[in-house]
Amino acid sequence: MKVPYLDLSVNDKNLKKDLLAAVDQVLSHGRVVLGPEITEFENLIAEMCGRKYAVGVSSGTDALYVSLRSLGIGPGDEVITTPMSWIATANAIVLTGAKPVFVDIRSDLNINPDKIVEAITPRTKAILPVHYTGKICDMEVIGAIANEYGLLVIEDAAQAFAAKNSYGIAGSFGKVACFSMNAMKVLHSYGEAGVVVTDDENIKEKMVSLRYAGTVNREDCVIPSLNFRIHTLQAALLLVELKRIDKIISQRRRIAAHYEGLLRDVAVCPHEDTGSESVYYTYTIQVDHRDELRDFLANSNIETKIHHPILMPYHTAYNGCFATDIPVAERAVQRILSIPNHENMTDDEVDYVASTILHFYSNKIA
Ligand SMILES: Cc1ncc(COP(=O)(O)O)c(C=O)c1O
């Protein structure tokens, strides 16, 4: 049996029909730039996140960059974030001219709120937690810290669309929240897309301006920016995907529960706090002998990923630029392994992945 990490081809006939119809609709009305599907997509996203506004952009990276700039974050400011994320999180901060300040994570791979307060300086402007793997950070504590110290909160919810905890849904906590809808994500486009949500009309207006060259009425540039507009075709395809998002998430959650039942004795499996519902963008286990296991799985035709093998401050672009005290992240990054968990997996595939992992560890113990 061969188990790919993710299969992006569309084999479901009905889904393909709906996607092609969505493309056909856009080609027929011809309003391909900021077309009506974008407004419909933005309205739906805002409603699902319980926010007043959503602004579609061309990627999750752009969502972060546009958000930070719309909040006036720039040179001289510090933004507290996690070291464990896709590099886009740090890049977006750095490209505004601000400085990322990396604080350690908890064993669940999310930022450790207890470490945030000691990282606050007079220059700190914002906290940027990442809901890593699709699980919401401890937003109650982070929100309380932000209130006490007068800081902004920007959620990097790129991996966590529709994730919940007992206080709310991803995207409902920060001043703004950013999502990625790239092709790998749980709610995904067929290429690149992103969106930002907020309740603040002023911020929304700034983001609309920043996403198109910093213009007002798409004419006069009032603040230099680039072009971050979402494509109408991607919004149209996302509207189709939105119709099946509940099914996708429940399937991923079902597979996650199945994995946990089988693997909990040999791996640290993702843990859900009471009342929280991860969307399992990745099913990331933490294991001993990670690299050996990965080779063993590859030899058994099971594709896995390491998300992400280099902690953000240690990328070549930043190595040595930022002081770090992140022992938990440094250990975790040696042990994480994302195993296949997507809605198109069959039960046989899930069992094959789990039994191959168990087989690997039974040989280790023997
Ligand atoms: C946590 C996180 N932030 C930001 C991004 C950037 O999103 P995009 O790839 O849509 O630019 C990603 C994408 O993988 C991500 O996982």
Side-chain angles (χ1 to χ4, degrees), residues 59-61 64 85-86 88-89 130 156 158-159 180 182 185 192-193:
S59 71
T61 309
L64 287 164
S85 181
W86 170 229
T89 310
V130 177
D156 182 340
Q159 305 188 354
S180 163
N182 75 26
K185 295 294 184 282
E192 309 284 346

Side-chain angles (χ1 to χ4, degrees), residues 98-148:
K99 177 182 161 196
V101 174
F102 300 102
V103 306
D104 212 354
I105 56 167
R106 304 189 305 196
S107 57
D108 70 354
L109 308 179
N110 273 340
I111 192 167
N112 185 342
D114 297 341
K115 301 282 175 191
I116 291 176
V117 172
E118 58 201 63
I120 294 172
T121 75
R123 290 176 297 282
T124 308
K125 192 92 180 265
I127 307 170
L128 199 163
V130 177
H131 305 317
Y132 208 56
T133 73
K135 178 185 177 182
I136 295 183
C137 295
D138 195 341
M139 294 310 292
E140 203 207 7
V141 178
I142 293 170
I145 296 169
N147 280 343
E148 190 179 337

